[in-house]
Amino acid sequence: MSKIHFAAAVTLSLLSFAPGLVAQSIPPAVKAAEASIDGEKIRAHVKFLSDDLLEGRGPGLRGSELAAKYIATQFALDGLKPGGDNGTYLQQVKFVGMKVIADKTHFSLVPKKPEGGVSIELYSYDLKYGDDYTVSNRTLTPTVDIDAPIVFVGYGVTAPEFNWDDYAGVDVKGKVILCIVGDPPSDDPKFFGGKALTYYGRWTYKFEQAARKGAVGALIIHRTDLASYGWDVVKNSNTSEKTYLRDDKDPQLEAASWIQLEVARQLFKAAHMDLDTEMAAAGKKGFKAVELPVRLQAHVESTVRPFESPNVVGILPGANIAEHKPDQAVMYTAHFDHLGFEPGMAGHNIYNGAADNATGCGMVVEMARAWSQLGATSGIKPPHSVIFAAVTAEEQGLLGSEYLGQNPPLPASQIALDINYDMLLPLGIPQQVNVNGAQRTDFYPAVEATAKRFELGIVPDAHPEAGSYYRSDHFSLSRVGIPAFSIEEGELFEGHDLTWGAKKFNDFVEHDYHNFSDNYHEDWDFRGNAKLDRFGMELGWEAISAPHGIRWNAGDEFEAARKASEK
């Protein structure tokens, strides 16, 4: 998308136009508060939140509770108004934790015996939990037994706007679906986003749609290039305790599973079919789902742990509150949870989650301090409210932010914008920024102009095939209509070339992402995190100073939700 440029004189004379068309004038007091943002303060928060004491901040566990209370205390010290339950900063969310008991859980692929004595190579293929497959019972019961046929449904997508329905002509009620991770392949940005992943490609959608269709189980075929991460990420993310909203009324699967690519190859071989041929066919129009002559026989046994884990919410009330006028609030979000720890494991067994996402959480806490300083030192109140939310259970499927979106501290129609921070590596001062999702809104010209003032080149998502827009908490807010995006670093940093930045990010994803090695480092450089905090604060001021609320672009997938929230 091309950038829009304006002459300075024109910029200052057009403030009555729609938000985003021009940069707003930033008051000196706001610039002073913004300048107070300190990378070393962010460092201190990150260092504490990723300490072994917090045991990986697994939802509902001791370390997570410590993290929530720490953040709530920071909000209280800043003088924010509590935005949680019963006059507190904590918005309690009811969850159920499900942990598979590996030695009591069994998965077998059992081909139908052919008639007429014709032999096949495989009569029963027992899978190894963690190495061959992962599974979770989303019905939240201790045990479940499945003996059901497997139906290959291609990419498992029903997308009427693209005239695509992988479930057409097949009944999967009481059956197990087999599908491919990702979207049907496309080079056309208007057809499944081209190279960019849509929500249809996300594993969350695959499980949701299978359950809506009445399936009892789903097997997603993992392929590293399509998923954008290796099997270790799938294994680490799905063999620890999985968390679900206790009161979710949507249909749920008895077995929500991933399988290794080679397992899928064996499965198709048992059905006298070739995996590569069938995957290629599934990506073309005219694909028809097919029931395979193979059944899944499974026994899944899990521990069931009901618990509560809070979102932490603080509010800086706007001047509009005293005037009894509707709000046009800006909200800043970051998740504070991570993957917890592995009991009984030798050596370092804690998923400390320093980059993911103690960084984003520390940035939101520091920004809350800076916004609060605005009123304390200058007496200036923001024209509309500013909300700060550290959310739980992001790693379990954006669950804390989903609950926040369904139960916001202000009506969704009165939240103009959500800016999210997630996993910002402290590598120094960025010269590029990715604001994926901002271009979906009429606020984007303001984002462009602000980035230019901060000497930040806006770059597209470096890996659109990974579908990052659907993988962080801003997505939960988008689903209820709130314009939302994340602020992320590009790959160019001061004093280095693009190759250096790309290597740093690739090394982190390959070795540290969702692994025990995502730990705090004393040599991390938080100056860039502070810069992106200042950038976000300035964007927030522009959003709440605009003449009307931010709008999704016409035809955007979230436009209808925004209109529904305003009724």
Side-chain angles (χ1 to χ4, degrees):
M1 180 178 293
S2 61
K3 294 184 179 180
I4 302 172
H5 300 281
F6 300 90
V10 176
T11 295
L12 294 176
S13 66
L14 295 179
L15 296 181
S16 62
F17 276 61
L21 290 180
V22 294
Q24 303 293 326
S25 178
I26 308 299
V30 175
K31 295 295 291 186
E34 176 189 305
S36 76
I37 292 173
D38 185 350
E40 291 307 300
K41 287 185 171 67
I42 297 172
R43 176 193 297 276
H45 296 312
V46 172
K47 187 173 183 178
F48 176 78
L49 290 169
S50 60
D51 192 89
D52 284 355
L53 173 70
L54 275 70
E55 299 174 335
R57 308 186 304 279
L61 300 178
R62 171 183 171 274
S64 174
E65 295 301 303
L66 286 173
K69 289 178 179 179
Y70 175 82
I71 296 163
T73 300
Q74 298 300 319
F75 287 173
L77 290 170
D78 294 334
L80 298 182
K81 175 185 174 183
D85 303 330
N86 304 315
T88 73
Y89 295 96
L90 305 181
Q91 181 189 56
Q92 294 292 347
V93 188
K94 293 180 172 63
F95 294 108
V96 176
M98 301 291 293
K99 179 129 180 23
V100 167
I101 304 172
D103 60 358
K104 295 183 179 180
T105 294
H106 309 286
F107 254 47
S108 294
L109 303 175
V110 183
K112 180 180 178 181
K113 292 185 179 181
E115 298 177 0
V118 178
S119 64
I120 61 175
E121 293 88 344
L122 178 68
Y123 281 104
S124 180
Y125 183 26
D126 296 330
L127 306 185
K128 186 175 181 181
Y129 178 69
D131 292 336
D132 295 329
Y133 76 100
T134 68
V135 63
S136 188
N137 171 13
R138 295 187 166 206
T139 64
L140 311 184
T141 57
T143 62
V144 67
D145 290 286
I146 297 172
D147 186 355
I150 298 173
V151 183
F152 179 53
V153 295
Y155 285 85
V157 169
T158 301
E161 69 272 33
F162 300 131
N163 192 28
W164 191 283
D165 187 2
D166 287 326
Y167 286 91
V170 64
D171 182 5
V172 300
K173 289 181 180 178
K175 300 175 183 178
V176 174
I177 68 103
L178 173 70
C179 68
I180 308 164
V181 69
D183 284 322
S186 169
D187 292 320
D188 181 359
K190 296 181 179 179
F191 185 70
F192 285 104
K195 297 297 184 184
L197 190 76
T198 72
Y199 187 57
Y200 293 119
R202 290 284 290 142
W203 58 268
T204 47
Y205 169 83
K206 313 286 186 185
F207 290 151
E208 291 165 0
Q209 184 66 353
R212 284 191 289 263
K213 291 292 184 178
V216 295
L219 308 173
I220 297 178
I221 301 171
H222 174 264
R223 207 173 86 181
T224 297
D225 60 327
L226 298 180
S228 79
Y229 41 77
W231 181 257
D232 280 351
V233 173
V234 175
K235 179 178 178 179
N236 292 341
S237 301
N238 290 280
T239 53
S240 54
E241 183 181 78
K242 295 294 293 179
T243 301
Y244 302 102
L245 292 173
R246 189 196 69 180
D247 300 323
D248 193 336
K249 304 303 181 185
D250 292 331
Q252 300 295 338
L253 298 172
E254 296 177 358
S257 303
W258 288 78
I259 60 172
Q260 283 266 39
L261 184 65
E262 287 308 309
V263 172
R265 197 175 302 281
Q266 289 297 320
L267 196 162
F268 277 103
K269 182 179 179 182
H272 294 282
M273 301 166 72
D274 177 70
L275 171 67
D276 297 329
T277 300
E278 299 306 319
M279 288 183 71
K284 298 176 182 177
K285 284 194 172 183
F287 166 80
K288 299 294 182 185
V290 57
E291 184 172 317
L292 304 177
V294 183
R295 301 179 72 84
L296 174 67
Q297 292 182 352
H299 174 78
V300 182
E301 195 159 334
S302 311
T303 59
V304 181
R305 181 176 69 96
F307 67 93
E308 293 184 356
S309 180
N311 295 324
V312 189
V313 185
I315 302 174
L316 181 65
N320 67 294
I321 303 299
E323 299 169 2
H324 305 288
K325 294 180 179 179
D327 228 323
Q328 185 182 305
V330 65
M331 179 158 62
Y332 296 98
T333 53
H335 75 91
F336 70 86
D337 67 295
H338 201 50
L339 301 177
F341 64 98
E342 292 292 339
M345 175 182 164
H348 182 65
N349 65 340
I350 300 173
Y351 293 101
N352 291 108
D356 186 14
N357 182 37
T359 55
C361 196
M363 291 170 71
V364 168
V365 169
E366 170 62 357
M367 194 184 295
R369 185 202 59 77
W371 272 101
S372 300
Q373 179 176 310
L374 173 65
T377 59
S378 69
I380 291 179
K381 273 194 172 184
H384 294 274
S385 299
V386 185
I387 305 168
F388 304 91
V391 298
T392 187
E394 188 269 356
E395 304 291 9
Q396 306 299 324
L398 315 183
L399 298 182
S401 57
E402 180 180 342
Y403 186 86
L404 179 66
Q406 294 169 355
N407 303 273
L410 298 174
S413 62
Q414 294 187 38
I415 301 176
L417 178 67
D418 171 63
I419 296 176
N420 187 60
Y421 288 94
D422 191 354
M423 202 173 82
L424 292 101
L425 299 183
L427 300 177
I429 301 176
Q431 296 181 319
Q432 296 175 334
V433 67
N434 172 30
V435 287
N436 185 24
Q439 74 277 11
R440 295 168 172 258
T441 73
D442 66 356
F443 189 58
Y444 188 57
V447 177
E448 289 183 301
T450 306
K452 186 176 181 180
R453 293 197 302 276
F454 276 80
E455 299 182 334
L456 289 166
I458 294 180
V459 293
D461 186 356
H463 301 284
E465 71 282 357
S468 61
Y469 189 80
Y470 306 95
R471 292 174 59 180
S472 196
D473 289 303
H474 61 253
F475 175 54
S476 295
L477 287 310
S478 299
R479 295 183 85 172
V480 298
I482 299 170
F485 60 90
S486 286
I487 291 177
E488 302 173 8
E489 304 146 310
E491 295 181 343
L492 183 62
F493 290 81
E494 188 177 286
H496 303 281
D497 60 15
L498 278 169
T499 303
W500 182 88
K503 184 177 186 301
K504 289 288 186 180
F505 283 113
N506 291 338
D507 284 349
F508 178 83
V509 171
E510 184 176 349
H511 301 294
D512 302 324
Y513 177 62
H514 282 204
N515 216 325
F516 297 109
S517 53
D518 181 7
N519 300 314
Y520 169 79
H521 297 276
E522 287 289 350
D523 63 352
W524 272 351
D525 184 347
F526 285 88
R527 291 177 298 163
N529 299 69
K531 178 178 180 177
L532 294 183
D533 248 3
R534 296 183 194 110
F535 175 60
M537 185 172 181
E538 198 148 305
L539 288 176
W541 181 265
E542 294 187 23
I544 59 178
S545 303
H548 64 70
I550 295 166
R551 301 185 180 105
W552 294 101
N553 294 337
D556 190 87
E557 65 183 292
F558 304 113
E559 182 188 25
R562 186 60 166 181
K563 289 181 177 179
S565 75
E566 293 171 342
K567 290 181 179 178

